[in-house]
Amino acid sequence: MKSIQIAEGKLARGPLPAMFCARHYEQVKAFHQSLAGYAPTPLIHLEALAKQLGIRAILVKDESQRFGLKAFKALGASYAVHQILAEMPDQKPVFVTTTDGNHGKGVAWAALQAGCRAEIFMPKGTVASRVEAIEALGNAKVTVTEWGYDETVRWTRDYAQRQGYILVQDTVLPGYHEIPQNIVLGYTTMIREVYQQLPSSIQPTHVFLQAGVGSMAGAVLGWLADTQKDQLPVTSIIEAADSACVFASCPRGELVSKAGITPTIMAGLNCGEVNPDIFPVLRDYASFYFACADEITEAGMRQYADPSDGDQAIVAGESGAVGLGLLMKLCQDASYAQMKQALGLDENSVVLLFNTEGATDPEDYLRVVGRPWIEVSG
């Protein structure tokens, strides 16, 4: 089997969910800007690599520096927790979630800002460093279950209901929509910042977005579809091969589960069921879907760490680097020339990538890159 599989989108361009509107974006913007420590994360230009790959520009939104948490996830968790507490200002609830690492850390951090506790459940196979990073915040109890991600989500929902705790999950469950929608809205801060940081002479023609349950990808794509209209870039959704539920679902036009315990180093993408509320966005507005083997993200991690001459080094974790690894493969491997042509990647292309996490598994980062992440960030 090839290390990259591709499926083409239908681009049906149906109606967007009502959450995507200017009023909500402004509410999210005002909230995030009110947080201590808020600052837009860098938009980094990889000029030498773009020239090497034969395209006009590569832009990387580096979320490894967001709030000092090594990932973008606190954007969604903090906004959702803020909205919950606005409705119960005199209470200090316990917040509960399932996570592969980054989302749970974001929920625990958001709870900490509000003086609340959190209980975090993580799927079987979670590495110790991700557990320890959450526990280090000091307000969260972490439990690693015996199940995969999707089954752990359902168990956590039932646990929260039994205990009277509040579930802060980034995917929809029966009767559970508002909190996941607020998490999605929180993620739109990333793409809003990008368009504020872009020079007037350059606009993305292609956007690569990672997907686990699809909430981040749907947030960025929904914002783009709503604000850019006919100027919507060619958008590709990228997943880990064995849990590629968006890849399996969107071309068929129906939800397909890939739930289970699947092997991949891309822990943040190892989710087997698409967020149903965001599914129409991914189905109707994405141009392509990719399922990638681990070797693709490993190549991206190494390139970020040891960049082409003159480019800035970036610490990118396993779920953060797959977009760059995919772009390099499409542009450099002749056996993928047909895929490259289908995307329309050429000397006029401006590609926007999201480094969604830093070195959240330092041991694996060392294995892949060959040196500690702190040396790369140096």
Side-chain angles (χ1 to χ4, degrees):
M1 181 182 296
K2 281 193 170 186
S3 57
I4 298 171
Q5 301 174 67
I6 185 174
E8 191 165 351
K10 299 183 184 301
L11 294 177
R13 302 290 171 90
L16 287 167
M19 75 176 88
F20 293 104
C21 68
R23 178 173 62 87
H24 287 154
Y25 308 147
E26 286 302 311
Q27 290 172 347
V28 172
K29 175 182 176 181
F31 167 70
H32 282 148
Q33 291 183 344
S34 75
L35 293 175
Y38 167 78
T41 51
L43 183 66
I44 299 170
H45 295 231
L46 300 182
E47 296 179 6
L49 182 60
K51 184 176 181 180
Q52 182 181 330
L53 298 184
I55 57 181
R56 182 182 173 193
I58 300 172
L59 311 173
V60 182
K61 183 63 167 167
D62 184 12
E63 288 294 308
S64 69
Q65 303 179 45
R66 183 71 72 178
F67 296 126
L69 298 174
K70 294 187 177 182
F72 73 98
K73 288 285 191 172
L75 289 172
S78 63
Y79 185 66
V81 166
H82 166 71
Q83 294 293 90
I84 292 164
L85 293 176
E87 297 180 1
M88 46 193 327
D90 299 322
Q91 298 182 48
K92 294 292 183 182
V94 176
F95 295 102
V96 179
T97 196
T98 288
T99 183
D100 285 306
N102 295 329
H103 172 69
K105 186 163 56 173
V107 170
W109 178 83
L112 181 64
Q113 309 313 300
C116 298
R117 288 197 309 111
E119 291 200 25
I120 311 298
F121 295 90
M122 307 184 78
K124 184 177 182 178
T126 297
V127 297
S129 61
R130 294 192 173 109
V131 174
E132 293 162 2
I134 297 172
E135 291 179 334
L137 292 171
N139 68 322
K141 176 185 176 183
V142 180
T143 302
V144 178
T145 75
E146 290 300 311
W147 316 299
Y149 175 85
D150 302 283
E151 189 173 352
T152 301
V153 167
R154 285 185 278 273
W155 187 92
T156 302
R157 172 202 58 196
D158 295 342
Y159 174 80
Q161 290 174 345
R162 290 196 304 271
Q163 299 295 323
Y165 296 161
I166 295 181
L167 181 69
V168 184
Q169 200 62 53
D170 56 350
T171 192
V172 165
L173 297 162
Y176 181 77
H177 297 266
E178 183 177 357
I179 291 172
Q181 288 177 3
N182 283 329
I183 292 173
V184 168
L185 285 170
Y187 295 157
T188 63
T189 285
M190 289 190 297
I191 187 63
R192 176 185 55 78
E193 288 178 356
V194 166
Y195 273 75
Q196 291 175 335
Q197 293 167 317
L198 286 169
S200 58
S201 61
I202 192 169
Q203 295 288 308
T205 61
H206 295 73
V207 179
F208 286 43
L209 299 169
Q210 300 94 309
V213 298
S215 292
M216 184 282 283
V220 173
L221 182 53
W223 188 94
L224 286 168
D226 182 47
T227 63
Q228 302 305 299
K229 311 296 183 186
D230 294 338
Q231 301 302 313
L232 177 66
V234 174
T235 302
S236 297
I237 310 300
I238 314 167
E239 297 172 278
D242 289 339
S243 55
C245 51
V246 176
F247 180 91
S249 299
C250 288
R252 292 179 58 171
E254 61 184 17
L255 292 169
V256 176
S257 175
K258 301 282 284 185
I261 299 174
T262 55
T264 178
I265 63 171
M266 292 178 273
L269 310 186
N270 199 12
C271 312
E273 295 178 357
V274 185
N275 178 347
D277 280 3
I278 217 69
F279 171 65
V281 180
L282 303 175
R283 178 196 62 204
D284 294 351
Y285 288 89
S287 300
F288 297 95
Y289 311 94
F290 287 93
C292 296
D294 284 353
E295 68 188 71
I296 301 301
T297 201
E298 290 177 342
M301 291 170 69
R302 289 189 287 267
Q303 178 64 39
Y304 274 133
D306 295 295
S308 302
D309 290 344
D311 285 345
Q312 179 177 332
I314 298 172
V315 177
E318 297 85 350
S319 296
V322 66
L324 182 63
L326 172 60
L327 177 64
M328 292 166 56
K329 195 73 168 176
L330 293 175
C331 292
Q332 293 178 319
D333 189 332
S335 66
Y336 292 98
Q338 190 172 352
M339 288 188 189
K340 178 185 175 184
Q341 184 177 11
L343 267 70
L345 287 168
D346 59 26
E347 67 277 6
N348 298 311
S349 298
V350 176
V351 179
L352 173 62
L353 305 173
F354 287 81
N355 176 31
T356 52
E357 68 171 1
T360 57
D361 182 353
E363 287 188 13
D364 199 55
Y365 187 88
L366 177 61
R367 176 191 67 81
V368 174
V369 172
R371 55 198 176 106
W373 70 270
I374 196 69
E375 291 185 11
V376 176
S377 67

